[in-house]
Amino acid sequence: MNLILRLLRVFVAALFKPRIGLFEISEVPFRVLPTDLDINLHMNNARYLSIMDLGRTDLLIGVGLLGPVKRERWMPVVGSIDIKYRRPLRLFQHYVLKTRLLCWDDKWFYMEQRLESARGVHSIANVRGLFVTREGSVPTRSVLDHMGYEGESPPFPRKLRPLPAREEADASLCSTG
């Protein structure tokens, strides 16, 4: 239930925040709640991923994609997440989720998400996502056109690499949809 309440809070707050640029950082503050804890009394590893969903929602609204997503019936989907945990988040600790777009190829958008507090970085994730419809994936150029962005992707950071076509085909064999 607390994730539903957090989603509502993030959604409503994002509607009233000023719009951000495509490469600006979306920031959403949170606090570790008792329902976020695992048996070690720090935030559960899976909760990091759930919270990151909320950051991508804030970014989507912040860059002005809510209208096109609703109009075109696009669904944002994550293809992969590579996450590194650096230090634990403890009960009632305040932290900020920072989400930013890094680059894209013809199909995928690549983002970085960080959970940070006054103590430093707690986790960093590289996320690969796209938009889909019932007909299939939406080309990144189509999404960018809806936003009025005509530029090319920034270069891929060294830590990322686009998925080669062969791996893309192999990965699709593992999907259920």
Side-chain angles (χ1 to χ4, degrees):
M1 179 60 152
N2 87 66
L3 279 177
I4 299 273
L5 296 175
R6 284 176 172 168
L7 174 61
L8 289 172
R9 185 193 73 153
V10 166
F11 189 85
V12 171
L15 292 174
F16 291 99
K17 282 194 224 177
R19 189 168 170 178
I20 62 173
L22 188 59
F23 299 106
E24 289 184 56
I25 297 173
S26 154
E27 294 189 15
V28 184
F30 291 102
R31 186 171 302 275
V32 179
L33 301 176
T35 53
D36 297 333
L37 302 179
D38 62 15
I39 60 172
N40 297 317
L41 299 178
H42 57 70
M43 193 154 94
N44 180 302
N45 293 345
R47 184 65 82 192
Y48 284 79
L49 300 174
S50 298
I51 293 293
M52 288 179 179
D53 279 339
L54 303 178
R56 291 188 299 277
T57 299
D58 185 73
L59 180 66
L60 182 144
I61 295 169
V63 297
L65 273 177
L66 183 60
V69 164
K70 287 173 52 181
R71 221 177 10 263
E72 303 294 332
R73 297 179 187 230
W74 293 340
M75 294 173 285
V77 176
V78 168
S80 66
I81 297 179
D82 176 25
I83 188 166
K84 292 176 179 44
Y85 301 97
R86 295 248 171 109
R87 60 176 50 92
L89 281 164
R90 303 281 181 204
L91 182 61
F92 301 123
Q93 186 173 352
H94 173 79
Y95 62 96
V96 176
L97 171 60
K98 296 182 178 183
T99 304
R100 68 183 179 126
L101 178 64
L102 298 173
C103 54
W104 58 85
D105 57 26
D106 291 339
K107 182 176 182 179
W108 300 98
F109 288 97
Y110 298 83
M111 295 161 275
E112 177 185 78
Q113 294 191 278
R114 296 171 165 259
L115 275 74
E116 299 179 3
S117 75
R119 293 183 54 221
V121 176
H122 292 267
S123 71
I124 300 173
N126 292 311
V127 181
R128 184 173 61 108
L130 74 158
F131 292 91
V132 297
T133 65
R134 289 186 176 177
E135 290 78 38
S137 62
V138 179
T140 53
R141 176 53 34 203
S142 180
V143 176
L144 295 164
D145 288 346
H146 275 82
M147 296 171 53
Y149 184 81
E150 297 177 6
E152 296 298 316
S153 171
F156 272 74
R158 186 176 291 174
K159 64 185 171 187
L160 294 178
R161 66 178 177 82
L163 210 54
R166 175 69 187 149
E167 284 186 47
E168 180 81 25
D170 290 346
S172 68
L173 296 174
C174 299
S175 68
T176 58

